[in-house]
Amino acid sequence: MICSGEAPLLEFRLLGPVEVRCNGQCVEIGPPKRRTLLAMLLLANDALVTNDRLTHALWGQQPPRHAKTVIQGHVSQLRRLLPPEEPITIATACDGYLLQAPADRIDGERFRAAVAEARTGDGAPSGIPSLRKALALWRGPALAGLCDTPLVAAAAAELEETRLGAVEELGLALTVGRRAEEAVAVLRGPADRHPLRESLVALLLDALLATNRQAEAIELYHRTARLLGDELGVDPGPAMVEAYDRILSPPRVVRAARAARRWEETLRPGDAHRPGDAHGQEGAHRRDGSHRQKDAHRQTDAYRGAGQPGANDLRRPLLLPRRPAGFTGRARELAALHAAVRYTAHDSPICLVTGPAGIGKSALVAHWAQQTAADFPDGVLFARLGGFIDTAPAADPAFVIRDFLGALGIQPDDIPQNTAAAEALYRSLLRNRRLLVILDDALSYDQVRPLLPGAPGCATVVTSRNRLESLIAGDCARPLLLDRLGPGEGEALFARILGPDRVGAEPDAAGHLVRLCDGLPLALRLAAARLAVRPERSLGDAVEELRDGQRRISFLAVDGIDFASVLRVSVDHLPPDAVAVLRLLAHHFGPDIDVAAVAALAGDSPADSRAVLERLVAANLVEERGHDRYALHGLIRLFARSLGPAPGGDRLLPLLDHYLYAALAAATAAVAGSQPCCRLPEDFRTPVSTPAFADREEAMAWYARERRNLVAATAVAAAGRHHDRAWRLALLLWPLVVQQPGADWEAPLGHALGSAVELADADAESRVRNLLGWVLGQNGRYEEAMPHLLRAPVLARCADDTEGEAIATANLAQAREALGDTNLAGLGYERAAQLARRAGSPQTEMLTTYHLARYHLLNERPAEALALARNALDLAPEDQVVARRAMLLDICGRALSTLDRNGEAWHHFDRAGRLAEQDGFTADAADYYARAAAVRTYGNG
């Protein structure tokens, strides 16, 4: 227990850096993950927080294998903070934990209570003291110093939103209470930090007006309006517009002007009544001019004078795309599309449906449009823009507008020849109408922008292989990125074409076909079509044919439609440097790749490589997987390989050297104080972009991301006869191998051993055999390990590597001990310790002494074991080789427990658990904590 005293009072602070205070003094909580866990429990005070939610809060989308064990360890440590006399508990409940604490001990709860108290008063000014008290609890950004995960960021943003709400309430109360100068002081800082928060800026405008600072208020309004336009592509909304009106005109004049505009509207012949005008908010978010509609009225009148029909005389177009045959699934995407274009009287929603070629964008929108056309009483306009058709150029938006005007009932002679005038007429006709515009197969934002209605009540759906980020930034389009069909949906599509009996007879083969076609509806339809006209062929036969990557693309073709041609159109729109990188990515040996590796492969700078990758992502040819990581799906990868041959040795070596250099840096950071397990090759070339790792956590995270790439690189290097790279790449996996010995390491180490033998390099062979033998032994396969472990010390001696001989001798002794030869094992541990001392390597001496101490302990010599372990702990600084230090502390604890010194044993076990947890050895940490609990429960210390 850390909090103590005659009457300990524990308080928790979330509104700033997360802190625990006992009687006013700050209490050490522990590492960021423990603080994060505590914060999540406090935010849900008196409610269950599941292990899944805690895992996402601590690690995001990449939790370790033993996340639950780590969480248990953190909870155990947090419970030690809680004095037993305090009414604060952390209970284990169901699949999670429940913290119960009085609300007045948590600053977030006190903040909410004070805000609620302010709202129960007899008027806004009466709540000022409570609001000031609430805001005084904030010490900086909420939840500072916690893990950087999406869940924590969302919780912090939610708390920040409540703070801003309280600031706005205080500013309003001060202004209403005729304390506008104080309101300005309260609102100015938050408004500067959140310049796009219109409600906050509007309150500041009113406060400035109340202090007779009209000029300052006008300047603030225009500065914010420019920022909204530049950053979000919108004009100020109703709150800011009305505040600006109050600045420019006395309230009575403003009301009279609005009444005059409404009266003018009722007198206009043929013009529909607009409910928005009655509230003075028309056009608040239009981007084609002022928020007022005066110019638009004049423009519409001019067209009426030229013979334009009135709004009530316009034709109701119904230009629906053809209903797609055999459409299946996509329930989630259909619901998302419907939500994205939900009707609103004050907005013109846009949904951008995007995804790679063959994903089914047009089919989804056509199916949805057929279902929902009735929701748009004024009609549907549809245009196929042909952005990715290889037989004709993309459609000119000027011609599309003429077609739309004709569909709306405008006679050809009445359509302006000037493109800008035609656009203006098109948009003026859509005012006050509920109409759907579908723009299919768009190439670019410039092609789409002139066709957007921009009128409240009208909705637009755009499909494109490109992500059209300018449409999202400039017009607030909501993106809907289509994913590939899952096995169930893919098999259902097969059944629509081949019949349920044929698919049901071979369900496993059908699932394989869906995966081999990447879940792309077009590829699935082409494969099904090939099978439909060949009833004698089984789905299993098709699976075998599609397994051959070279034949898969050619299989996906029928008369007039082939998958390769569809992809080729996308590639044809790329610049040459992007095509070159796409080809290189297709031949990359791993499942994904980061920017630094792409730069090494392409021979470019990381900045140039990132720009090209972003271009490929925007074209939906490359998938972004997390920050700076990219991948190609199977069919796109196969097609891109046809763009050119695989890179030869000259292009491959820089990539291998990139992985070699990065792995060496990661190994050095992963085990602080350790010696490099190998030197770089003589002809090694330093990569343009070299990674740096701040600590073990960063290094091990890199290993986890790159494991499959490093394993594949080892195989590719060996096959390409780059043997000096192959054995080093495999050996540099050792920090991950030690942490996960049960994983499949035999393949890369087998390639490494073959390369070492090919080079006749005794040093390389010794190191590889030593690691391979250790892995086999850790998996209980000591008989298989012995040939490698017997050779490793001899080879190390030949290479004059005393340190390597010491480690190999210790591993050999461990195998002999497991096989029952304890006498030889003991002699081996003694010799290993002597060799380590002779080598002058404290870290290796710690390891060999650990094995010798463990041997003494197992042979009932606890005093000797304790002395050896304590001496070994003094060999290296405390911040180095942390995992070995934890192992030695465990030996000390077990020896002390055997000697009935359980109080001391508990401290050693607890310290060992902390260090193992810090180093990522969660299973070992759980064992150490369990031993600590056992000696505390059953010991006499």
Side-chain angles (χ1 to χ4, degrees):
M1 186 193 312
I2 296 176
C3 183
S4 61
E6 293 184 3
L9 181 65
L10 213 59
E11 295 180 281
F12 302 97
R13 297 186 174 191
L14 302 174
L15 306 181
V18 174
E19 292 180 354
V20 177
R21 287 187 170 264
C22 179
N23 297 331
Q25 298 298 314
C26 193
V27 174
E28 174 61 32
I29 304 173
K33 285 185 171 53
R34 191 172 301 152
R35 293 200 301 275
T36 301
L37 190 148
L38 174 62
M40 299 309 293
L41 294 176
L42 290 168
L43 287 170
N45 185 26
D46 207 22
L48 175 69
V49 184
T50 65
N51 277 308
D52 281 347
R53 184 170 178 81
L54 292 173
T55 299
H56 280 88
L58 270 61
W59 293 282
Q61 298 300 319
Q62 295 181 326
R65 184 189 305 175
H66 301 289
K68 192 171 182 180
T69 302
V70 177
I71 290 171
Q72 289 172 349
H74 284 308
V75 170
S76 175
Q77 295 303 311
L78 289 173
R79 284 171 174 157
R80 296 178 65 241
L81 297 175
L82 307 178
E85 59 268 34
E86 280 280 68
I88 304 170
T89 60
I90 302 176
T92 303
C94 191
D95 185 31
Y97 298 93
L98 182 145
L99 183 145
Q100 292 178 304
D104 62 354
R105 301 293 187 88
I106 306 171
D107 61 356
E109 299 276 6
R110 297 203 304 274
F111 170 76
R112 292 189 183 90
V115 172
E117 180 185 355
R119 293 170 179 166
T120 58
D122 56 2
S126 66
I128 291 173
S130 295
L131 289 169
R132 286 195 182 279
K133 181 175 70 173
L135 290 169
L137 293 169
W138 285 76
R139 298 168 290 109
L143 307 182
L146 302 188
C147 296
D148 184 14
T149 61
L151 193 58
V152 171
E158 186 176 346
L159 288 171
E160 175 66 8
E161 180 63 30
T162 63
R163 186 184 74 84
L164 291 174
V167 168
E168 290 177 350
E169 289 186 42
L170 178 58
L172 177 61
L174 290 167
T175 303
V176 171
R178 299 189 178 185
R179 297 161 64 178
E181 288 287 356
E182 295 178 58
V184 171
V186 166
L187 295 168
R188 189 184 297 279
D192 288 343
R193 290 189 294 273
H194 301 274
L196 299 178
R197 189 178 177 93
E198 295 187 56
S199 55
L200 190 59
V201 175
L203 287 168
L204 180 55
L205 290 173
D206 282 334
L208 290 169
L209 177 62
T211 57
N212 295 316
R213 286 185 263 183
Q214 286 92 337
E216 189 176 345
I218 291 171
E219 193 277 332
L220 172 63
Y221 174 85
H222 285 294
R223 185 172 70 245
T224 305
R226 286 194 300 271
L227 191 61
L228 286 168
D230 293 342
E231 296 289 330
L232 304 179
V234 300
D235 283 332
M240 280 187 58
V241 169
E242 291 177 2
Y244 188 58
D245 282 344
R246 287 191 289 273
I247 295 169
L248 296 180
S249 309
R252 190 173 303 169
V253 176
V254 173
R255 288 196 296 271
R258 289 178 180 164
R261 286 201 296 273
R262 289 199 301 274
W263 180 248
E264 181 185 12
E265 285 293 315
T266 62
L267 296 179
R268 289 177 187 241
D271 202 6
H273 175 64
R274 292 178 294 166
D277 291 352
H279 299 88
Q281 296 177 1
E282 65 277 13
H285 284 266
R286 286 178 61 90
R287 293 299 299 148
D288 54 349
S290 166
H291 61 271
R292 297 174 177 82
Q293 297 284 331
K294 195 181 302 179
D295 293 338
H297 291 326
R298 282 202 295 267
Q299 189 180 68
T300 305
D301 290 341
Y303 286 127
R304 288 202 184 99
Q308 178 206 331
N312 294 329
D313 299 327
L314 291 175
R315 184 185 303 162
R316 179 179 184 270
L318 202 60
L319 305 182
L320 284 169
R322 183 173 69 88
R323 184 186 297 273
F327 185 88
T328 58
R330 297 291 196 195
R332 182 185 62 83
E333 291 86 351
L334 288 168
L337 176 55
H338 195 72
V341 296
R342 185 178 291 116
Y343 171 71
T344 170
H346 304 293
D347 201 2
S348 180
I350 304 169
C351 182
L352 169 63
V353 181
T354 183
I359 198 73
K361 302 176 290 294
S362 299
L364 173 80
V365 172
H367 181 80
W368 171 83
Q370 291 283 349
Q371 288 183 324
T372 58
D375 294 345
F376 298 92
D378 293 311
V380 179
L381 293 172
F382 170 80
R384 183 167 285 111
L385 301 183
F388 295 91
I389 296 177
D390 57 353
T391 57
D396 186 334
F399 291 110
V400 176
I401 286 177
R402 295 183 66 85
D403 291 340
F404 281 178
L405 290 173
L408 289 166
I410 304 300
Q411 297 300 313
D413 292 343
D414 293 331
I415 297 176
Q417 295 301 309
N418 180 274
T419 301
E423 283 184 36
L425 174 58
Y426 165 64
R427 290 197 174 92
S428 68
L429 293 176
L430 298 186
R431 284 178 56 214
N432 314 310
R433 294 168 68 84
R434 285 186 60 189
L435 184 138
L436 172 65
V437 178
I438 301 174
L439 305 174
D440 186 42
D441 195 24
L443 177 63
S444 66
Y445 177 55
D446 289 339
Q447 189 187 29
V448 169
R449 183 181 49 78
L451 305 174
L452 300 176
C458 291
T460 307
V461 178
V462 181
T463 74
S464 179
R465 295 187 195 180
N466 290 333
R467 294 198 175 184
L468 302 187
E469 294 176 1
S470 295
L471 181 63
I472 300 171
D475 294 274
C476 295
R478 292 182 61 178
L480 176 57
L481 180 60
L482 291 194
D483 200 357
R484 288 153 174 79
L485 296 179
E489 290 180 323
E491 291 169 27
L493 180 55
F494 272 137
R496 293 292 297 267
I497 299 173
L498 298 175
D501 293 341
R502 191 172 176 187
V503 173
E506 298 181 83
D508 291 341
H512 279 301
L513 283 174
V514 173
R515 289 190 291 275
L516 288 168
C517 292
D518 281 353
L520 293 170
L522 176 60
L524 292 168
R525 286 174 178 271
L526 291 170
R530 292 287 301 270
L531 289 167
V533 297
R534 295 168 177 81
E536 73 285 354
R537 295 193 61 183
S538 69
L539 272 63
D541 293 338
V543 168
E544 291 306 314
E545 186 167 352
L546 289 176
R547 285 189 198 276
D548 183 345
Q550 293 182 340
R551 299 177 61 186
R552 195 182 313 173
I553 292 290
S554 60
F555 183 89
L556 299 176
V558 298
D559 294 341
I561 307 175
D562 70 277
F563 198 79
S565 296
V566 172
L567 289 175
R568 188 170 291 109
V569 177
S570 292
V571 174
D572 287 345
H573 284 89
L574 296 174
D577 59 343
V579 177
V581 169
L582 182 65
R583 177 179 64 83
L584 292 172
L585 291 177
H587 289 290
H588 179 248
F589 40 71
D592 59 7
I593 190 169
D594 67 3
V595 170
V598 173
L601 188 60
D604 288 331
S605 69
D608 290 341
S609 296
R610 183 178 287 106
V612 173
L613 287 165
E614 289 298 325
R615 179 70 179 264
L616 292 169
V617 169
N620 278 305
L621 289 167
V622 168
E623 179 180 331
E624 189 170 10
R625 294 182 178 175
H627 179 63
D628 274 354
R629 296 197 72 79
Y630 302 88
L632 271 70
H633 274 279
L635 289 175
I636 295 177
R637 180 187 288 266
L638 291 173
F639 171 77
R641 285 178 179 172
S642 69
L643 300 175
D650 291 344
R651 188 58 65 86
L652 187 60
L653 264 182
L655 180 61
L656 295 176
D657 283 350
H658 159 76
Y659 284 122
L660 199 58
Y661 189 93
L664 185 60
T668 302
V671 185
S674 64
Q675 297 298 314
C677 65
C678 62
R679 294 186 299 273
L680 294 170
E682 292 182 2
D683 62 342
F684 172 83
R685 288 173 285 183
T686 303
V688 175
S689 176
T690 55
F693 304 100
D695 51 28
R696 174 181 172 82
E697 187 173 3
E698 281 189 15
M700 296 308 294
W702 180 87
Y703 269 123
R705 291 192 300 270
E706 299 291 354
R707 173 186 165 181
R708 289 188 292 175
N709 286 332
L710 292 170
V711 169
T714 302
V716 168
R721 304 193 63 79
H722 300 295
H723 296 303
D724 56 346
R725 268 74 173 174
W727 74 265
R728 288 177 168 89
L729 284 165
L731 202 65
L732 283 167
L733 283 163
W734 77 267
L736 197 60
V737 174
V738 170
Q739 191 179 68
Q740 303 172 14
D744 182 15
W745 301 113
E746 288 183 67
L749 290 172
H751 290 305
L753 182 57
S755 290
V757 171
E758 185 75 20
L759 292 169
D761 186 332
D763 178 58
E765 186 178 350
S766 167
R767 293 173 185 274
V768 175
R769 285 190 185 276
N770 187 25
L771 185 56
L772 178 56
W774 181 86
V775 168
L776 292 169
Q778 289 296 303
N779 288 280
R781 297 160 60 185
Y782 289 102
E783 294 286 357
E784 298 174 62
M786 283 300 291
H788 300 293
L789 294 175
L790 285 167
R791 290 276 295 153
V794 178
L795 289 164
R797 199 176 310 125
C798 292
D800 198 22
D801 178 13
T802 306
E803 182 180 4
E805 184 183 357
I807 297 172
T809 302
N811 288 338
L812 174 59
Q814 194 175 3
R816 282 174 166 157
E817 181 183 359
L819 292 172
D821 196 346
T822 55
N823 289 331
L824 271 180
L827 293 172
Y829 290 136
E830 291 280 3
R831 174 158 175 76
Q834 293 169 2
L835 288 168
R837 282 193 293 274
R838 188 190 308 164
S841 170
Q843 295 81 12
T844 301
E845 189 175 350
M846 287 178 73
L847 177 64
T848 56
T849 305
Y850 159 77
H851 283 297
L852 182 57
R854 184 183 56 79
Y855 176 78
H856 280 298
L857 185 63
L858 292 176
N859 285 277
E860 299 181 356
R861 294 190 291 273
E864 292 89 334
L866 180 61
L868 285 167
R870 283 181 165 171
N871 287 336
L873 285 169
D874 294 331
L875 291 172
E878 288 196 5
D879 61 343
Q880 293 185 2
V881 284
V882 174
R884 293 177 190 175
R885 185 170 295 278
M887 293 159 58
L888 287 164
L889 285 167
D890 177 59
I891 291 292
C892 291
R894 290 159 65 186
L896 288 164
S897 177
T898 304
L899 295 169
D900 290 332
R901 294 159 62 180
N902 290 298
E904 295 175 72
W906 180 88
H907 285 291
H908 284 78
F909 286 137
D910 185 67
R911 179 63 177 153
R914 290 168 180 262
L915 291 178
E917 188 178 352
Q918 171 188 326
D919 236 24
F921 290 89
T922 51
D924 292 339
D927 289 341
Y928 301 153
Y929 284 136
R931 287 176 190 145
V935 296
R936 167 163 283 189
T937 303
Y938 302 109
N940 61 11

